[in-house]
């Protein structure tokens, strides 16, 4: 259930009520909020152990809080685990990998400002994702799976 205050300044959303959408093999998502005004999006991603997502460049800052599992960036020497907070400054480029020895899927709560420029294994541009595109991907994956779109995503 979602509750929105009459002045629409405050809102409540229970992420447990949102369905997981399969975006790719080993990658699922729940969209919590999209701001078309600021370009900020809030998402929970779930990655299968060993899943590596494409190298990407952020044109805005990212805040990441690990809920479950263990993950890292190939380009850095830390490993995030439950309770870890990671800040990525605008302009950062990296490759996220769920640790292959993680005993459970990795779940990370992200607040993403702006978009992601995606690169293939050879460093060639192959895509871009921003808040609206992420919401469209979420809805499209739910539609394809025959899962009703949730109400209450804060837009």
């Amino acid at each position: 259930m979602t509750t929105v205050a009459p002045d629409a300044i405050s809102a409540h959303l229970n992420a447990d009520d949102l369905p997981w959408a399969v975006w790719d093999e080993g990658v699922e998502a729940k969209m919590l909020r999209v701001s078309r005004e600021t370009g900020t999006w809030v998402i929970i991603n779930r990655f299968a152990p060993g899943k590596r997502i494409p190298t990407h460049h952020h044109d805005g800052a990212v805040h990441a809080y690990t809920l479950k599992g263990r993950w890292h960036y190939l380009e850095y020497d830390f490993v995030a685990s439950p309770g870890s907070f990671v800040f990525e400054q605008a302009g950062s480029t990296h490759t996220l990998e769920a640790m292959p020895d993680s005993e459970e899927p990795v779940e990370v709560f992200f607040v993403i400002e702006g978009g992601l420029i995606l690169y293939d294994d050879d460093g060639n541009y192959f895509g871009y994702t921003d808040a609206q595109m992420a919401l469209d991907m979420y809805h499209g994956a739910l539609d394809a799976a025959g899962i009703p779109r949730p109400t209450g995503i804060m837009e």
Side-chain angles (χ1 to χ4, degrees):
M1 180 175 153
T2 301
T3 305
V4 178
D7 58 9
I9 292 173
S10 300
H12 171 265
L13 174 69
N14 187 338
D16 291 340
D17 294 339
L18 297 174
W20 286 104
V22 176
W23 276 7
D24 190 11
E25 184 177 337
V27 179
E28 297 173 274
K30 288 186 179 191
M31 293 294 302
L32 280 66
R33 182 170 190 276
V34 170
S35 172
R36 291 178 185 88
E37 183 178 318
T38 66
T40 300
W41 36 307
V42 180
I43 186 170
I44 300 173
N45 279 118
R46 182 161 58 192
F47 306 105
K51 180 64 180 181
R52 183 180 294 178
I53 64 168
T55 300
H56 54 279
H57 173 87
H58 291 279
D59 57 19
V62 176
H63 308 263
Y65 181 78
T66 306
L67 302 168
K68 295 181 181 178
R70 298 170 53 243
W71 62 278
H72 71 128
Y73 290 126
L74 299 182
E75 298 80 6
Y76 304 106
D77 62 359
F78 70 85
V79 174
S81 59
S84 292
F85 176 78
V86 176
F87 173 73
E88 305 167 14
Q89 62 186 332
S92 63
T93 301
H94 44 247
T95 311
L96 185 152
E97 179 184 53
M99 298 302 288
D101 63 351
S102 186
E103 295 180 6
E104 61 185 337
V106 173
E107 291 184 14
V108 183
F109 174 91
F110 290 104
V111 178
I112 303 169
E113 301 169 6
L116 312 167
I117 300 168
L118 305 168
Y119 300 99
D120 66 16
D121 290 339
D122 296 322
N124 299 307
Y125 168 86
F126 80 86
Y128 182 80
T129 303
D130 63 12
Q132 184 60 55
M133 294 170 79
L135 182 60
D136 292 346
M137 287 171 47
Y138 181 69
H139 285 155
L142 293 177
D143 294 347
I147 300 170
R149 291 182 181 190
T151 58
I153 295 174
M154 294 175 239
E155 298 182 56

